[in-house]
């Protein structure tokens, strides 16, 4: 369970002051609740997310003054542009009996036949997908089996297998993964290879001619003796 403490809203300087104490500022909202600014120990947040199963999991939140904890999901996270450390995050309070929309990551599974057999180039065209489900049915990620993908094949949202309780959102024609033809040599590379081959042939011809001249000179010297 994530225990939070209320905080005063005071702009960027206030948020920095919170972070200097080893805490992360955030806001809890949703389910008819007025936005509640809070702070939480960064270590406690890491432990809670680890126990819950990741950032897309349902989190029990102990709100100051509330008799019972509420359920929430992390709706947004702001990271430092250089250090990649968490600066601020939003919690969305949810009801377990109402569907919500969330963005989850896409994980490719298997080795595409077009890559394994024919040397094709695999492209993951999308790394996340938006879904709708009950909070308790939200997956940590969506697995995409690419084993059967051949050269020129692709997987779109409309190709995803149905899963009970989950609706995939977005354009059904959105491409998620594809395999393209292996890249051949460019015209410049082919010209360079041809030039190198011609130079090698010319060098070999000169070497052969030189060996013939040497043999001829050696034979003439023997006759003179």
């Amino acid at each position: 369970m994530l225990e939070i403490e209320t905080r005063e809203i005071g702009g960027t300087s206030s948020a920095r002051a919170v972070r200097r104490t080893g805490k992360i500022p955030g806001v809890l909202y949703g389910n008819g609740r007025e936005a509640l600014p809070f702070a939480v120990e960064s270590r406690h947040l890491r432990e809670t997310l680890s126990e819950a199963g990741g950032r897309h999991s349902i989190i029990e939140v102990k709100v100051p003054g509330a008799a019972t904890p509420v359920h929430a999901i992390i709706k947004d996270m702001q990271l430092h542009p250089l250090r990649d450390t968490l600066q601020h995050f939003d919690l969305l309070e949810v009801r377990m009996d109402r569907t919500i929309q969330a963005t989850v990551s896409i994980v490719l599974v298997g080795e595409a036949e077009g890559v394994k057999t024919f040397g094709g180039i695999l492209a993951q065209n999308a790394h996340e997908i938006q879904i709708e489900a009950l909070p308790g049915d939200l997956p940590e990620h969506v697995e995409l089996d690419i084993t059967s993908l051949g050269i020129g094949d692709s997987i779109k949202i409309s190709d995803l297998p149905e899963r009970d309780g989950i609706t995939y959102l977005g354009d059904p024609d959105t491409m998620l993964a594809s395999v393209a033809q292996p890249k051949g040599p460019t015209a410049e590379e082919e010209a360079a290879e041809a030039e190198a081959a011609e130079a090698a042939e010319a060098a070999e011809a000169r070497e052969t001619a030189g060996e013939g001249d040497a043999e001829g000179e050696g034979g003439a010297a023997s006759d003179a003796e």
Side-chain angles (χ1 to χ4, degrees), residues 34-46:
E34 184 178 347
L36 174 67
F38 68 85
V40 62
E41 294 280 352
S42 58
R43 177 182 57 80
H44 185 37
L45 176 61
R46 289 194 300 270

Side-chain angles (χ1 to χ4, degrees), residues 88-124:
H88 185 281
F89 70 107
D90 294 347
L91 286 178
L92 174 65
E93 183 177 343
V94 297
R95 283 184 48 169
M96 299 303 288
D97 59 348
R98 291 184 181 177
T99 60
I100 61 173
Q101 295 182 2
T103 300
V104 298
S105 58
I106 297 173
V107 176
L108 303 185
V109 178
E111 184 177 7
E113 182 64 25
V115 175
K116 180 180 179 180
T117 305
F118 303 104
I121 300 174
L122 173 67
Q124 184 169 353

Side-chain angles (χ1 to χ4, degrees), residues 27-186:
V27 175
L28 172 66
Y29 62 92
N31 200 23
R33 173 189 296 278
E34 184 178 347
L36 174 67
F38 68 85
V40 62
E41 294 280 352
S42 58
R43 177 182 57 80
H44 185 37
L45 176 61
R46 289 194 300 270
E47 292 173 352
T48 301
L49 291 179
S50 178
E51 292 171 0
R55 63 162 294 188
H56 297 296
S57 302
I58 304 299
I59 303 171
E60 279 194 329
V61 182
K62 183 176 176 55
V63 180
T68 58
V70 301
H71 295 95
I73 62 171
I74 294 180
K75 190 64 175 178
D76 185 49
M77 301 179 74
Q78 297 175 16
L79 303 178
H80 191 281
L82 299 178
R83 295 193 293 269
D84 201 36
T85 54
L86 182 61
Q87 302 292 289
H88 185 281
F89 70 107
D90 294 347
L91 286 178
L92 174 65
E93 183 177 343
V94 297
R95 283 184 48 169
M96 299 303 288
D97 59 348
R98 291 184 181 177
T99 60
I100 61 173
Q101 295 182 2
T103 300
V104 298
S105 58
I106 297 173
V107 176
L108 303 185
V109 178
E111 184 177 7
E113 182 64 25
V115 175
K116 180 180 179 180
T117 305
F118 303 104
I121 300 174
L122 173 67
Q124 184 169 353
N125 307 93
H127 293 268
E128 294 181 329
I129 186 171
Q130 192 172 27
I131 64 174
E132 183 174 77
L134 290 172
D137 293 334
L138 287 177
E140 175 68 18
H141 59 262
V142 171
E143 291 189 351
L144 197 61
D145 186 356
I146 61 171
T147 306
S148 62
L149 284 183
I151 299 293
D153 290 342
S154 64
I155 298 178
K156 303 176 181 179
I157 289 181
S158 58
D159 299 321
L160 293 173
E162 293 184 2
R163 293 181 58 175
D164 291 339
I166 293 179
T167 300
Y168 299 109
L169 306 177
D171 186 348
D173 290 330
T174 298
M175 193 176 297
L176 305 178
S178 59
V179 175
Q181 287 277 4
K183 182 181 177 182
T186 63

